[in-house]
């Protein structure tokens, strides 16, 4: 369940970054209103205000990078759509980074009143591409979470993924603050949905012959069979393989004597949770 943990951490970090962003928008709005009314009273604190705003923006960026990195790691082996979405965020981020020197040069030109139209276009193209990729990124991540919700039968996770995709579309028609609130709400729902995902395992077939049992089981996560015993009290001396992987598994279980009961009690460690399951086996002579 390491992937689910990473996705949950990533969702939490992104939710926190958006809470801070929304708070920052409110604070900047209030400051702007106050400064337009009475700039002189705040002038001695202006440099400190800019410093705190800079630190806050940097914190938001760090949280976003960390959040999308955890999503990237989490989606890597569980959903291609989500993985591509998280990767697109980093592509858009590096595009913006690469555009910074051009923007600085363009700013210098604006102040010197020597504007070059070609350079303006060259500076805007990476920004436009990065914004498009960022929007596509969140849509793909939303699809990834929706797929996970379908896979683990979690309606909450499916709703969170759908809300995240919808928030991107809302961003095109509604104010940024409103769409950001929807995005925040979607990550909160996703976080809750991921927390409700439980590891599952079921026995599809079990056969006992003499002192050996042949068990076929299906699980949605990797795990380890720790012990096997029968209801008659016999304890397995050998389990092969002891490690099980996501999907179908065939396991051979050996006992030191012939079994007196056809019911096997199998203890499995799935992620950080231990499950005990019973299997009614068919006895073959």
């Amino acid at each position: 369940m390491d992937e689910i943990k990473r996705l949950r951490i990533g969702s939490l970090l992104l939710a926190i970054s958006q809470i801070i962003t929304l708070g920052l928008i409110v604070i900047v709005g209030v400051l702007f209103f106050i400064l337009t009314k009475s700039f002189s009273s705040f002038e001695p604190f202006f440099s400190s205000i800019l410093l705190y705003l800079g630190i806050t923006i940097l914190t938001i960026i760090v949280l976003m990078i960390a959040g999308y990195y955890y999503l990237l790691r989490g989606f890597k082996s569980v959903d291609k759509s989500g993985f591509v979405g998280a990767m697109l965020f980093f592509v858009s981020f590096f595009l913006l980074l690469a555009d910074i020197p051009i923007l600085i040069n363009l700013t210098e030109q604006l102040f010197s009143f020597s504007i070059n139209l070609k350079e303006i276009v060259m500076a805007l193209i990476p920004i436009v591409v990065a914004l498009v990729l960022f929007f596509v990124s969140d849509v793909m991540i939303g699809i990834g979470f929706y797929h996970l919700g379908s896979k683990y039968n979690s309606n909450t996770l499916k709703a969170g993924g759908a809300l995240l995709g919808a928030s991107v579309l809302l961003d095109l028609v509604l104010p940024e603050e409103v769409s950001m609130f929807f995005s925040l709400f979607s990550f909160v729902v996703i976080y809750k949905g991921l927390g409700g995902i439980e590891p599952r395992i079921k026995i599809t077939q079990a056969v006992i012959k003499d002192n050996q049992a042949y068990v076929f089981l299906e699980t949605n996560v990797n795990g380890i069979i720790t012990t096997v015993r029968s209801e008659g009290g016999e304890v397995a001396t050998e389990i092969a393989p002891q490690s099980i992987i996501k999907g179908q598994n065939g396991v051979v279980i050996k006992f030191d004597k012939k079994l007196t009961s056809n019911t096997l009690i199998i203890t499995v460690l799935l992620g950080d949770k231990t499950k005990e399951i019973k299997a009614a086996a068919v006895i073959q002579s």
Side-chain angles (χ1 to χ4, degrees):
M1 298 291 282
D2 286 345
E3 294 88 355
I4 301 300
K5 285 182 180 177
R6 292 189 186 108
L7 291 173
R8 202 162 187 239
I9 292 170
S11 301
L12 178 62
L13 291 173
L14 290 173
I16 293 170
S17 73
Q18 292 184 348
I19 290 170
I20 297 172
T21 303
L22 286 169
L24 181 64
I25 291 170
V26 172
I27 291 169
V28 168
V30 172
L31 284 174
F32 181 78
F33 176 78
I34 294 172
L35 288 172
T36 54
K37 297 295 181 182
S38 177
F39 177 76
S40 58
S41 59
F42 277 88
E43 191 173 0
F45 311 103
F46 192 67
S47 58
S48 298
I49 291 171
L50 288 178
L51 176 63
Y52 287 128
L53 287 177
I55 292 172
T56 305
I57 292 169
L58 183 61
T59 302
I60 291 168
I61 293 170
V62 170
L63 285 171
M64 287 183 68
I65 291 171
Y68 281 102
Y69 174 74
Y70 272 101
L71 293 189
L72 184 72
R73 293 279 308 279
F75 276 124
K76 187 175 182 180
S77 59
V78 296
D79 188 84
K80 286 184 179 179
S81 299
F83 178 74
V84 170
M87 184 67 76
L88 286 177
F89 164 80
F90 286 101
V91 173
S92 66
F93 178 75
F94 286 119
L95 268 175
L96 289 175
L97 278 183
D99 199 39
I100 288 175
I102 301 173
L103 289 173
I104 292 172
N105 183 50
L106 188 63
T107 305
E108 291 175 350
Q109 287 185 25
L110 288 172
F111 280 109
S112 62
F113 300 102
S114 57
I115 301 172
N116 187 315
L117 184 60
K118 184 180 177 181
E119 290 191 11
I120 292 175
V121 173
M122 291 299 293
L124 289 177
I125 288 174
I127 294 173
V128 173
V129 173
L131 287 174
V132 171
L133 290 178
F134 183 73
F135 286 135
V136 174
S137 165
D138 273 1
V139 171
M140 297 294 286
I141 288 169
I143 293 171
F145 280 122
Y146 188 89
H147 286 167
L148 278 181
S150 300
K151 181 179 179 180
Y152 290 106
N153 196 28
S154 170
N155 289 329
T156 304
L157 191 52
K158 285 167 68 175
L163 281 169
L164 182 59
S167 70
V168 177
L169 300 176
L170 289 172
D171 201 25
L172 301 174
V173 294
L174 294 176
E176 178 72 21
E177 298 82 359
V178 178
S179 62
M180 192 175 292
F181 174 79
F182 273 92
S183 180
L184 166 62
F185 182 67
S186 68
F187 277 117
V188 171
V189 174
I190 287 167
Y191 179 80
K192 180 175 173 56
L194 289 168
I197 289 178
E198 289 291 331
R200 298 191 308 273
I201 185 169
K202 67 177 180 178
I203 305 297
T204 56
Q205 187 181 359
V207 177
I208 293 174
K209 187 174 182 180
D210 298 326
N211 67 328
Q212 289 193 155
Y214 305 89
V215 177
F216 297 89
L217 52 87
E218 185 179 350
T219 175
N220 63 347
V221 293
N222 297 341
I224 299 172
I225 300 174
T226 54
T227 60
V228 179
R229 68 183 192 278
S230 74
E231 277 196 337
E234 296 87 1
V235 179
T237 55
E238 187 179 336
I239 304 168
Q242 198 165 355
S243 296
I244 56 175
I245 60 173
K246 184 169 57 177
Q248 296 280 351
N249 294 264
V251 182
V252 179
I253 304 164
K254 294 183 180 179
F255 296 84
D256 59 0
K257 58 182 179 180
K258 192 173 181 178
L259 297 177
T260 57
S261 170
N262 73 323
T263 301
L264 299 173
I265 302 169
I266 303 171
T267 305
V268 186
L269 180 65
L270 299 172
D272 56 355
K273 297 185 178 182
T274 300
K275 283 187 173 289
E276 193 173 84
I277 51 175
K278 288 188 178 183
V282 176
I283 298 177
Q284 291 185 348
S285 54

